[in-house]
């Protein structure tokens, strides 16, 4: 029917319908479900270790045995996936800990896959936690400045991703933002026979103040300078679309936008323009701000957390990565 007919009927006043829970459910456009949640976890060498991250109440650096406990609880609550970060025993200028076959992430992946084979284990692929200078790539220092070398970094990233998959990771998620890393990782995985292992690319990752608390959690703050030479300018949305298009071209299977709440416009455009499975990473400061306000009794933590996650889904996210995943899954189950 075309709008041609509209004029032939009397205009009705807009009305409020009689609301019942069943009608509301029928008409609801967006649904929040535990099956979309991913919980980030921080692994660190040791046993029975639970080191609280001060700026992120409820988040800990965990030894593999404790991380398994945390992952088990999340999984029982209905969270289908975790995203692993690692804190190595030692850092150096080659990020050796990132691709060591018995590195902290590799060990933890093996343990998780042994005890929780149904849990989807995603690994963050980056070098900043393993580099003595805390940058995401190889650094060239001269008398007058220091630069991040894009291309020499690619091989180390591909090695890191391959070692994660060899340990049993179900998916890799490169977060470094070097140009060409998705292609380099895809080629390496294919060459090793891991042709069916997906890549979730941090495709539009902005240079953001919202990562502050994470750098305490992952002990990955850059020792000099900042990440603006490889992360994106928060002012740029069209550039984000170009970054995403490049990652698709190189073989990304899932596209991530990060941070989430302050970047819902980017999330919406990525979903609408590319139609790929899309992930929103609700980053550390998004979590810390909620926790701080909740601790003061200023907000309703549960309502605010679920509303924020719903907004990310409404904007276009299929996958929600959040430090509140286990709580959110429990709240959703309670209804
Ligand atoms: C590593 C990485 C960071 C985050 C995820 N992977 C930090 C950064 O880029 O500085 C941030 C996650 C968060 O803040 O929760 N490159």
């Amino acid at each position: 029917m075309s709008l041609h007919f509209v004029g032939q009927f009397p205009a009705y006043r807009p009305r409020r319908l009689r609301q019942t829970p069943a009608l509301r459910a029928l008409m609801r456009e967006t649904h929040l479900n535990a099956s979309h949640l991913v919980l980030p976890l921080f692994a660190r060498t040791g046993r029975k270790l639970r080191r609280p991250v001060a700026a992120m109440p409820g988040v800990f650096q965990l030894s593999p045995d404790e991380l398994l406990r945390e992952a088990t609880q999340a999984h029982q609550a209905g969270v289908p996936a975790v995203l692993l970060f690692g804190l190595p025993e030692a850092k150096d200028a080659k990020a050796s800990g990132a691709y060591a076959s018995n590195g902290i992430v590799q060990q933890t992946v093996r343990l998780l896959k042994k005890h929780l084979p149904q849990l989807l284990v995603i690994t963050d692929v980056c070098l900043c936690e393993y580099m003595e200078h805390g940058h995401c790539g190889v650094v060239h220092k001269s008398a007058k400045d220091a630069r991040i070398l894009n291309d020499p970094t690619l091989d180390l990233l591909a090695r890191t991703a391959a070692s994660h998959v060899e340990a049993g990771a179900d998916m890799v998620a490169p977060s470094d933002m070097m140009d060409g890393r998705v292609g380099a990782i895809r080629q390496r995985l294919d060459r090793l026979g891991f042709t069916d292992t997906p890549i979730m690319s941090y495709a539009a990752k902005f240079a953001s103040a919202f990562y502050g608390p994470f750098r305490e959690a992952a002990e990955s703050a850059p020792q000099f300078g900042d990440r603006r030479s490889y992360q994106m300018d928060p002012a740029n949305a069209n550039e984000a679309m170009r970054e995403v298009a490049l990652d698709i071209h190189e073989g990304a299977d899932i596209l991530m936008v990060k941070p989430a709440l302050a970047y819902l416009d980017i999330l919406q455009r990525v979903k609408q323009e590319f139609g790929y499975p899309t992930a929103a990473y609700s980053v550390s400061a998004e979590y810390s701000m909620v926790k701080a306000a909740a601790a003061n009794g200023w907000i309703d933590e549960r309502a605010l957390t679920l509303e924020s996650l719903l907004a990310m889904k409404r904007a276009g996210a299929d996958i929600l990565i959040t430090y509140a995943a286990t709580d959110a899954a429990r709240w959703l189950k309670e209804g």
Side-chain angles (χ1 to χ4, degrees):
M1 190 178 87
S2 76
L3 285 177
H4 172 75
F5 289 96
V6 168
Q8 306 187 8
F9 296 101
Y12 285 101
R13 279 186 302 111
R15 66 200 53 222
R16 201 175 302 154
L17 301 172
R18 191 191 316 131
Q19 293 275 336
T20 64
L23 183 65
R24 259 199 299 278
L26 276 178
M27 296 179 74
R28 184 165 294 139
E29 298 171 31
T30 311
H31 297 271
L32 205 50
N33 195 307
S35 69
H36 301 117
L37 297 169
V38 179
L39 175 69
L41 291 169
F42 299 96
R44 142 164 236 150
T45 316
R47 281 196 60 237
K48 298 210 178 308
L49 188 85
R50 285 178 77 80
R51 240 195 234 186
V53 176
M56 302 176 74
V59 174
F60 301 83
Q61 297 175 349
L62 302 163
S63 53
D65 53 327
E66 288 290 328
L67 192 144
L68 173 62
R69 282 212 333 196
E70 197 83 12
T72 305
Q73 284 173 13
H75 198 225
Q76 281 167 356
V79 176
V82 295
L83 172 61
L84 288 187
F85 295 90
L87 289 88
E89 252 165 293
K91 301 175 193 261
D92 59 28
K94 294 182 305 191
S96 324
Y99 41 87
S101 57
N102 208 27
I104 181 65
V105 167
Q106 292 81 353
Q107 281 177 41
T108 308
V109 169
R110 281 190 211 103
L111 189 72
L112 288 177
K113 290 311 294 183
K114 182 170 160 208
H115 295 280
L116 297 171
Q118 308 295 335
L119 179 76
L120 189 89
V121 177
I122 311 170
T123 57
D124 182 90
V125 174
C126 195
L127 304 179
C128 57
E129 298 102 319
Y130 306 89
M131 286 288 199
E132 58 198 11
H133 46 62
H135 277 288
C136 303
V138 175
V139 167
H140 174 75
K141 259 192 155 149
S142 70
K144 56 179 195 327
D145 66 352
R147 283 180 302 128
I148 313 297
L149 301 181
N150 190 89
D151 293 4
T153 303
L154 299 181
D155 180 57
L156 300 186
L157 292 167
R159 276 170 75 176
T160 303
S163 73
H164 291 173
V165 177
E166 273 161 354
D170 297 298
M171 191 191 303
V172 290
S175 71
D176 51 281
M177 290 303 276
M178 299 299 133
D179 293 328
R181 89 271 203 226
V182 172
I185 290 171
R186 184 71 272 163
Q187 276 182 14
R188 183 75 54 107
L189 294 181
D190 288 354
R191 184 147 55 80
L192 294 170
F194 301 118
T195 52
D196 55 1
T197 302
I199 300 176
M200 173 164 70
S201 164
Y202 287 66
K205 175 172 173 181
F206 291 88
S208 171
F210 283 94
Y211 308 151
F214 172 93
R215 292 179 186 167
E216 178 203 332
E219 299 180 3
S220 67
Q223 300 303 303
F224 57 84
D226 55 45
R227 302 209 203 289
R228 281 182 298 183
S229 74
Y230 41 102
Q231 297 181 353
M232 291 186 38
D233 183 341
N236 296 354
N238 292 324
E239 187 190 1
M241 297 306 117
R242 294 198 297 275
E243 288 277 358
V244 169
L246 283 172
D247 283 7
I248 291 174
H249 184 72
E250 291 175 28
D253 301 286
I254 298 174
L255 308 169
M256 189 201 296
V257 174
K258 175 184 173 198
L261 261 196
Y263 294 81
L264 293 185
D265 57 326
I266 309 288
L267 200 54
Q268 184 177 37
R269 278 185 66 179
V270 167
K271 186 63 187 183
Q272 285 187 350
E273 287 188 26
F274 300 101
Y276 265 59
T278 304
Y281 194 151
S282 182
V283 298
S284 52
E286 297 181 45
Y287 176 85
S288 301
M289 293 192 300
V290 173
K291 284 289 180 186
N296 279 295
W298 294 339
I299 55 159
D300 177 339
E301 180 180 356
R302 172 186 161 139
L304 198 145
T305 301
L306 293 178
E307 182 180 330
S308 300
L309 292 171
L310 186 71
M312 293 166 209
K313 280 226 76 188
R314 196 186 60 234
D318 305 291
I319 299 169
L320 303 167
I321 306 171
T322 168
Y323 300 96
T326 306
D327 281 339
R330 289 191 184 127
W331 292 330
L332 288 169
K333 217 180 256 178
E334 289 163 20

